[in-house]
Amino acid sequence: MVYMPWFTKHNVEHAENVANMALKLASKLEVDSQALDLVDKYLLCSAALLHDIGMNDLAKSKNLSGEMTEEDYATIRKQHAKRSGEMIISDRSKWGLPALDSILAQTVGLIAQAHGTSEYAETIPALKDCKTVKGTNVKAPTLAAILLMADELDLDYERAGDKPEALNSVSAAHDFKHRCIGSADIDLSSRGEVEIILELSIPEELTSEDREAIESWIVSKLRRQISLVEPQIGQGFPGRPGISRAIKVDYRNVPNQAMPSREALSIIRSEAATDRLIDLSESLDSAKKALRQGRKLILLIGEWDRLGGVDIDGREDLLDVLAKQLSADGTLVLSSRRLALNSAGEASDVLEEWVEGIPGGRYRSPAQAQPEDTRRRKILDRLLRGVSALPREAHILLTLSFIEGMDDDVRRWLLQEALPAVQGAAPSSAPFVITASGQFIDEAESLEPVIIEVGNIDLKEVEDYLKQYAPGRWTNAVSGGGLRYNNFKNIAINLEKDLRGG
C-alpha cells in the first residue's frame, strides 16, 4: 500500500470498513425473499476490498517525496476508480480472484469502478449485462449502489491524515470534514427505511455560518448519493422503503479541536454555497469565462422584488457562489452586500466594505457627521492605497450586490469614477461583478460590461437538485410547473424543513 500524505486515508483499514458497512447496509435493505446470496456477498466484499487499488497504482508514478502538482492530484482523485476496475479485470489473480474466471473478475471490477461518483452512471449499463456469475443470478447494479454508499459512509475522524500540513486545500477541507465526524452509522427507522446517523463535533470557535456550512456540505453529499443510487437500490430490493434522506445529526462537544486552515475553510464555504445553487450553472460558467478572458466588468442581470426583498432569478445566489469559488482558488474577493441587506445606501458604504476586506491593514472609518462627498473621497483614497499595496501576483475581485439600491447620481459616480480608479491602482486585473436589474445596463455601457442574463431555468438541473430532498417521480411533477428560481428555492427550503422534522 502506497503512503499518500496528500489524501485522507485510502488504506487497508478503509477498505475493510467499506466492506463491513456494505454488508451491514445490505442486511438492512434486504428481506428473506430478496436477500443477497453468497455469490452476491462475495462480489460485494471483493469489490469493496479492492475499490481503491487504482489510487495506489496512480500514486506510484508520482513524486512521493515532494509536492504533488495539481495535475497529479487531479489524476489520482478523478481517475482512480476507473483504474481500479481496469486492474481487477486485467490482473485478477494478483488480487486473489480466480485466475480463469474472467466473468467474475469483470463483475467485481465494474462494481469497484462504479464507486466513483463520476463513473457510476456510465458503469451501470455494463453492470446490467452481468446477470449471472458462477451460475447464479446476481444483483450487480444493486451491489454497485451499495458499495458507493458504503464508501461514502466511511466518514469518521480516523480517516483524517497523519500529516495535515502536507495536504493541499481540497484535501485539507476533506480532512477537516472527517475530523468533525465522530461516527457515521445506519439503522432502521420506525418506517423501515435505512436511516443514516451522524455524530458531529464541529469546533465552537467557528462562526455559526461556517458550522452550518460544514454540516450542510456533509449532509448534502450524502443525500445526492442516495438520489444517485436510489433506482438500483429499488430494483434490487423491490417494495422496500430504501435509504432515508432524513439524515439524523447529533452533536458532541469536544474540547481542543484542530481548526481548519483559511484555505480549507474557503473550500468548505465554496462547496456548501455551490450545493445550494439550484440551477444557473450555465450563467456561472459564463461569468467565470469572462473573468478568465480579462473582462473588467460583469453585470449579473436578474429581477429583484424590492418591496419583498426577493431574489426572483437567483442573481444574488449566483454572485455568492462565484465569489466563494474564486476565494477558494486563492482570489482576494472584496465584497459589498450592505445595499442588498438595507435596500439603500451611499457610495461610502460600498467603498467601506471593500476596504475592510483588504488583509493586513488597520482601517478607521471617517466620522459619520462628515458630508458624503468627503467621506467617500477619503474612503476611496484608502481603498486605492490598499489595492496598490497588494502583491503584483495577487488576483483581486470586487463584487457589489443590488446596485439599484443607490440613488442615480451616486450609482453613476461609482461606475464612472470609482471603478476605473480602483482598476488603475490595482497591481493586476481587478474585475468587478455587480448584480442589477436590466434597466441599469445603459449606465454602464461606456465600461463595455459583459451582460449575463440570470434566470433561464434548466428543468433537468432543477429536477436533479430536488432529488436530494425527494424521489424523482415527485420532482418530475414540480419541475414542469413553469416556476422561477425563487419558487424552486422556497420548495427546497420547505423540503429541508420537512426532512429535519421542522
Side-chain angles (χ1 to χ4, degrees), residues 383-438:
L383 177 61
L384 297 179
R385 291 197 303 272
V387 297
S388 64
L390 292 170
R392 292 185 60 83
E393 65 275 11
H395 296 280
I396 310 166
L397 175 72
L398 296 96
T399 72
L400 170 58
S401 294
F402 195 67
I403 199 171
E404 55 262 55
M406 290 180 160
D407 292 336
D408 292 349
D409 59 334
V410 178
R411 185 170 57 250
R412 282 191 288 269
W413 177 86
L414 189 73
L415 290 171
Q416 302 296 334
E417 296 188 39
L419 269 62
V422 172
Q423 290 176 336
S428 60
S429 176
F432 286 78
V433 181
I434 296 174
T435 60
S437 299

Side-chain angles (χ1 to χ4, degrees), residues 84-203:
S84 293
E86 293 170 347
M87 293 170 65
I88 293 168
I89 294 170
S90 64
D91 201 2
R92 49 189 174 270
S93 60
K94 179 179 179 180
W95 308 110
L97 300 176
L100 300 179
D101 198 334
S102 57
I103 291 177
L104 182 146
Q106 179 196 35
T107 307
V108 172
L110 290 174
I111 293 170
Q113 175 178 300
H115 91 270
T117 303
S118 57
E119 283 81 18
Y120 183 82
E122 67 183 45
T123 307
I124 289 299
L127 281 166
K128 289 180 179 179
D129 290 335
C130 300
K131 297 178 180 179
T132 59
V133 175
K134 296 288 186 183
T136 302
N137 293 329
V138 296
K139 303 174 183 283
T142 301
L143 301 178
I146 293 171
L147 175 59
L148 186 147
M149 284 304 307
D151 184 45
E152 194 66 40
L153 285 167
D154 190 21
L155 279 170
D156 67 52
Y157 65 94
E158 294 192 73
R159 284 198 66 193
D162 297 327
K163 294 185 177 181
E165 69 278 1
L167 303 174
N168 71 1
S169 56
V170 175
S171 279
H174 285 272
D175 181 85
F176 180 71
K177 174 184 74 173
H178 285 294
R179 293 182 191 277
C180 290
I181 301 174
S183 65
D185 204 353
I186 58 173
D187 205 347
L188 285 180
S189 71
S190 59
R191 295 190 295 181
E193 295 175 302
V194 174
E195 181 180 55
I196 297 173
I197 305 165
L198 301 178
E199 181 188 73
L200 302 186
S201 57
I202 301 174

Side-chain angles (χ1 to χ4, degrees), residues 5 40 69 83 86 96 123 176 195 208 246 283 310 369 384 442 478-479:
D40 280 318
T69 67
R83 181 65 182 139
E86 293 170 347
T123 307
F176 180 71
E195 181 180 55
S208 58
S283 298
V310 177
L384 297 179
D442 293 342
V478 172
S479 62

